[in-house]
C-alpha cells in the first residue's frame, strides 16, 4: 500500500501469478469486496481505471521475492489487514493512523517528488485526475516552500523582462 498506493481489497485479491518479475510489474485487475450477503468475494474493479499495470521498484521486488520464496500465499481479508495494521501502529504509538492513510501518504509523497498528476491518477486507479487531487493528496510544508520559491523565481524573471535595468 505504501509503495504502490493500493487499496486493501486490491492487495487481498493479488496472487503471485499477477507479478511479472522479469518485466518488474504487477497487474491489478480485481479486488476483494464485501457483498450484500456479508461475504468477501473477489470481483472486477469498480471502474475500468481499476484495471492497471504498475511498475515495481527493485527494492519492492526483493522484499516480495523473500515472501514468495517461503511459499507464502497472499491470503487475507481486508478486515484482517486492517486489524493487523491497527495492532502494528498501536505498538508503534501511531494509534490514529489507518491502513488507507498509506494510500494518501503514497499519493502525497509521489506528487512531492515530482510525479505528474495524470500518472499518479492512473497508478491509483482513478478515472479522473481531479479525484486524485481532491481526495488523495495533501500539501506538505516542502510543497508550499517549493511553490513559493517557484513563484518568486517567476516574478523575478517577469520583472527583469519588464525592466531590464532592474537586474
Amino acid at each position: 500500500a505504501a509503495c504502490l498506493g493500493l487499496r486493501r481489497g486490491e492487495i487481498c485479491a493479488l496472487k503471485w501469478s499477477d507479478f511479472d518479475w522479469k518485466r518488474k510489474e504487477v497487474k491489478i485487475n480485481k479486488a476483494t469486496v464485501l457483498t450484500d450477503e456479508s461475504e468477501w468475494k473477489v470481483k472486477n474493479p469498480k471502474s475500468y481505471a481499476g484495471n492497471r499495470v504498475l511498475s515495481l521498484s527493485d527494492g519492492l521486488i526483493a522484499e516480495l521475492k523473500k515472501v514468495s520464496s517461503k511459499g507464502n500465499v497472499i491470503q487475507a481479508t481486508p478486515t484482517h489487514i486492517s486489524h493487523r495494521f491497527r495492532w502494528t501502529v498501536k505498538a508503534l504509538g501511531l494509534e490514529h493512523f489507518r491502513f488507507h492513510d498509506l494510500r494518501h501518504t503514497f499519493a502525497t509523497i509521489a506528487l512531492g517528488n515530482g510525479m505528474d498528476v495524470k500518472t499518479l491518477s492512473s497508478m491509483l486507479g482513478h478515472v479522473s485526475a481531479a479525484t486524485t487531487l481532491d481526495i488523495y493528496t495533501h500539501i506538505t510544508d516542502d510543497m508550499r516552500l517549493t511553490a513559493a520559491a517557484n513563484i518568486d523565481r517567476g516574478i523575478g524573471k517577469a520583472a527583469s523582462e519588464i525592466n531590464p535595468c532592474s537586474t
Side-chain angles (χ1 to χ4, degrees):
C3 296
L4 298 172
L6 297 178
R7 298 170 180 98
R8 64 186 184 146
E10 292 169 335
I11 293 169
C12 292
L14 284 172
K15 297 184 183 302
W16 290 120
S17 58
D18 295 320
F19 293 87
D20 186 330
W21 305 124
K22 289 181 184 172
R23 294 180 62 117
K24 298 182 178 183
E25 60 189 30
V26 60
K27 290 180 186 158
I28 309 299
N29 55 16
K30 54 199 169 302
T32 303
V33 296
L34 192 60
T35 66
D36 292 337
E37 296 81 31
S38 298
E39 295 178 316
W40 291 106
K41 298 270 183 177
V42 175
K43 296 193 171 199
N44 291 328
K46 57 185 177 182
S47 72
Y48 69 88
N51 288 306
R52 58 206 190 274
V53 176
L54 301 177
S55 297
L56 302 170
S57 69
D58 291 336
L60 182 55
I61 289 172
E63 292 302 315
L64 289 168
K65 281 187 172 183
K66 285 180 194 175
V67 175
S68 69
S69 69
K70 294 177 183 174
N72 293 347
V73 203
I74 305 169
Q75 194 172 20
T77 67
T79 303
H80 176 77
I81 284 181
S82 291
H83 288 304
R84 283 296 296 249
F85 186 77
R86 258 187 249 119
W87 179 84
T88 303
V89 297
K90 186 174 183 179
L92 295 170
L94 303 170
E95 294 184 41
H96 300 291
F97 196 76
R98 304 166 304 147
F99 186 84
H100 197 74
D101 292 335
L102 295 172
R103 186 168 162 86
H104 288 258
T105 302
F106 168 80
T108 302
I109 291 171
L111 281 178
N113 283 290
M115 183 181 289
D116 66 277
V117 177
K118 190 67 178 164
T119 300
L120 178 59
S121 179
S122 173
M123 287 185 72
L124 293 174
H126 293 157
V127 174
S128 166
T131 302
T132 306
L133 288 172
D134 291 345
I135 298 172
Y136 288 94
T137 57
H138 309 283
I139 304 302
T140 65
D141 289 341
D142 284 345
M143 290 174 168
R144 278 194 290 275
L145 291 170
T146 300
N150 288 340
I151 290 167
D152 195 38
R153 274 195 300 279
I155 291 172
K157 182 179 177 186
S160 67
E161 289 173 0
I162 294 170
N163 182 3
C165 296
S166 67
T167 56

